[in-house]
């Protein structure tokens, strides 16, 4: 009985671990987007970070990075004092779409 209960608890904890990891794996598989992907997620991906730095040089080292890293580029644009324009967002999105899947 103890062995069965222990095995069941191990299986249950493994199942919860897999369920907790599922959203992270789903987001990793999701397309990168200027509308829905946080900047910090883009920066964590070397190819996406290169796209950001190409189009918005210094974004990942900006002094206010910690304040806007959880936001998307679309959310940051109105507060960027013209540093992130609709044109830049379109270029970033096109470059993100062109990255290998």
């Amino acid at each position: 009985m103890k062995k069965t209960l222990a095995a069941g608890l191990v299986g249950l904890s493994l199942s919860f671990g897999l369920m907790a990891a599922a959203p992270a794996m789903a987001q990793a598989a999701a397309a990168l987007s200027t509308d829905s992907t946080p900047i910090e997620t883009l920066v964590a991906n070397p190819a996406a970070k290169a796209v950001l730095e190409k189009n918005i040089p210094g974004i990942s080292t900006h002094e206010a990075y910690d304040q806007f890293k959880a936001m998307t580029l679309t959310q940051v644009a109105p507060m960027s004092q013209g540093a992130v324009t609709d044109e830049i967002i379109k270029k970033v999105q096109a470059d993100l779409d062109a990255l290998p899947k």
Side-chain angles (χ1 to χ4, degrees):
M1 174 83 168
K2 284 185 180 180
K3 287 183 182 180
T4 305
L5 180 59
L9 290 175
V10 168
L12 185 62
S13 66
L14 289 174
S15 294
F16 279 117
L18 292 174
M19 287 189 303
M25 291 187 306
Q27 184 166 351
L32 299 173
S33 169
T34 57
D35 290 330
S36 63
T37 307
I39 293 168
E40 65 188 331
T41 302
L42 296 174
V43 169
N45 176 318
K49 180 179 179 181
V51 166
L52 285 179
E53 290 294 337
K54 171 186 151 193
N55 291 286
I56 311 167
I59 189 169
S60 65
T61 57
H62 190 279
E63 61 190 26
Y65 178 76
D66 284 339
Q67 296 171 348
F68 63 77
K69 68 183 182 182
M71 300 170 71
T72 67
L73 277 180
T74 303
Q75 292 171 324
V76 168
M79 299 173 256
S80 72
Q81 300 176 1
V84 180
T85 63
D86 288 342
E87 182 179 328
I88 289 173
I89 290 173
K90 288 177 186 174
K91 286 180 183 178
V92 169
Q93 188 60 61
D95 289 348
L96 291 173
D97 290 344
L99 292 176
K101 306 293 184 232

